[in-house]
Amino acid sequence: MGNLVHFIYLCMFNSYAKVKTFLISDPNPISTPFLVRLLSKNLRKKILLFYCPKFLKIIVSIIFNKRRLLSGLIDSLEVDSSDSYRELNARAPFTT
Protein backbone atom coordinates (compact mmCIF):
# COMPACT_ATOMS: atom_id res chain seq x y z
CA MET A 1 0.00 0.00 0.00
CA GLY A 2 2.81 2.37 0.88
CA ASN A 3 4.32 2.32 -2.61
CA LEU A 4 0.95 3.02 -4.23
CA VAL A 5 0.25 5.95 -1.90
CA HIS A 6 3.76 7.29 -2.48
CA PHE A 7 3.35 7.10 -6.27
CA ILE A 8 -0.03 8.87 -6.14
CA TYR A 9 1.58 11.56 -3.99
CA LEU A 10 4.33 12.04 -6.60
CA CYS A 11 1.72 12.31 -9.36
CA MET A 12 -0.16 15.02 -7.49
CA PHE A 13 2.79 17.38 -7.80
CA ASN A 14 4.02 16.46 -11.28
CA SER A 15 2.37 18.23 -14.23
CA TYR A 16 3.64 15.52 -16.61
CA ALA A 17 1.76 12.88 -14.64
CA LYS A 18 -1.59 14.59 -15.21
CA VAL A 19 -1.70 13.43 -18.84
CA LYS A 20 -0.25 9.94 -18.37
CA THR A 21 -1.52 6.53 -17.35
CA PHE A 22 0.87 4.55 -15.18
CA LEU A 23 1.19 0.89 -14.30
CA ILE A 24 2.16 0.51 -10.66
CA SER A 25 3.34 -2.53 -8.74
CA ASP A 26 5.76 -3.40 -6.00
CA PRO A 27 9.34 -3.94 -7.21
CA ASN A 28 9.35 -7.55 -5.94
CA PRO A 29 6.23 -9.40 -7.04
CA ILE A 30 4.61 -12.00 -4.81
CA SER A 31 2.73 -15.09 -5.92
CA THR A 32 -0.99 -15.60 -5.39
CA PRO A 33 -0.44 -18.61 -3.09
CA PHE A 34 1.97 -16.54 -0.97
CA LEU A 35 -0.58 -13.73 -0.72
CA VAL A 36 -3.35 -16.17 0.23
CA ARG A 37 -1.15 -17.75 2.91
CA LEU A 38 -0.22 -14.34 4.29
CA LEU A 39 -3.85 -13.24 4.44
CA SER A 40 -4.97 -16.47 6.07
CA LYS A 41 -2.23 -16.22 8.67
CA ASN A 42 -3.10 -12.62 9.55
CA LEU A 43 -6.84 -13.36 9.58
CA ARG A 44 -6.25 -16.56 11.56
CA LYS A 45 -8.25 -18.59 9.02
CA LYS A 46 -7.37 -22.06 7.78
CA ILE A 47 -7.00 -22.54 4.04
CA LEU A 48 -6.60 -25.43 1.67
CA LEU A 49 -4.40 -24.85 -1.37
CA PHE A 50 -3.76 -27.57 -3.89
CA TYR A 51 -1.79 -27.86 -7.09
CA CYS A 52 -3.67 -28.26 -10.37
CA PRO A 53 -1.53 -29.00 -13.44
CA LYS A 54 -1.76 -26.58 -16.36
CA PHE A 55 -2.85 -29.28 -18.82
CA LEU A 56 -5.79 -30.17 -16.55
CA LYS A 57 -6.93 -26.54 -16.44
CA ILE A 58 -6.79 -26.44 -20.24
CA ILE A 59 -8.83 -29.65 -20.60
CA VAL A 60 -11.48 -28.47 -18.12
CA SER A 61 -11.76 -25.08 -19.84
CA ILE A 62 -12.32 -26.80 -23.20
CA ILE A 63 -14.92 -29.18 -21.77
CA PHE A 64 -16.91 -26.34 -20.17
CA ASN A 65 -16.31 -23.93 -23.09
CA LYS A 66 -14.53 -21.41 -20.84
CA ARG A 67 -11.33 -20.95 -22.84
CA ARG A 68 -11.53 -17.15 -22.58
CA LEU A 69 -11.40 -17.37 -18.77
CA LEU A 70 -8.41 -19.69 -18.84
CA SER A 71 -5.83 -16.94 -19.32
CA GLY A 72 -6.72 -15.53 -15.89
CA LEU A 73 -5.78 -18.86 -14.34
CA ILE A 74 -2.59 -19.71 -16.18
CA ASP A 75 -1.07 -16.41 -17.33
CA SER A 76 1.11 -14.17 -15.21
CA LEU A 77 -0.64 -11.18 -13.69
CA GLU A 78 2.65 -9.43 -13.05
CA VAL A 79 2.96 -5.77 -14.01
CA ASP A 80 6.28 -4.11 -14.82
CA SER A 81 6.21 -0.67 -13.26
CA SER A 82 9.83 0.26 -14.00
CA ASP A 83 8.81 2.61 -16.84
CA SER A 84 6.34 4.42 -14.58
CA TYR A 85 8.96 5.01 -11.90
CA ARG A 86 11.57 6.02 -14.49
CA GLU A 87 9.23 8.57 -16.11
CA LEU A 88 8.76 10.32 -12.76
CA ASN A 89 12.41 9.83 -11.79
CA ALA A 90 11.33 8.00 -8.64
CA ARG A 91 11.71 4.65 -6.93
CA ALA A 92 9.53 2.57 -4.63
CA PRO A 93 10.37 3.47 -1.02
CA PHE A 94 9.08 0.19 0.46
CA THR A 95 9.95 -3.43 -0.32
CA THR A 96 7.63 -6.42 -0.28
Side-chain angles (χ1 to χ4, degrees):
M1 255 344 244
N3 288 332
L4 175 60
V5 171
H6 177 72
F7 196 87
I8 292 170
Y9 176 81
L10 292 174
C11 290
M12 289 172 40
F13 300 104
N14 188 314
S15 59
Y16 174 73
K18 293 178 183 178
V19 295
K20 291 287 292 179
T21 301
F22 297 103
L23 297 175
I24 301 301
S25 67
D26 280 331
N28 302 319
I30 60 172
S31 68
T32 304
F34 178 81
L35 178 62
V36 170
R37 285 185 192 101
L38 185 64
L39 288 171
S40 71
K41 178 182 175 186
N42 287 313
L43 295 173
R44 295 183 179 99
K45 299 287 183 181
K46 291 185 178 183
I47 59 165
L48 175 64
L49 294 177
F50 59 91
Y51 176 76
C52 182
K54 187 176 179 178
F55 79 89
L56 188 57
K57 294 174 193 171
I58 293 169
I59 291 171
V60 170
S61 72
I62 292 170
I63 291 171
F64 291 103
N65 198 24
K66 299 290 183 182
R67 283 176 262 176
R68 287 185 4 206
L69 297 176
L70 181 63
S71 67
L73 290 174
I74 63 174
D75 292 344
S76 172
L77 302 176
E78 188 175 334
V79 174
D80 181 9
S81 61
S82 59
D83 288 341
S84 299
Y85 282 104
R86 186 172 48 253
E87 288 183 32
L88 291 184
N89 194 26
R91 65 176 184 83
F94 304 102
T95 59
T96 48

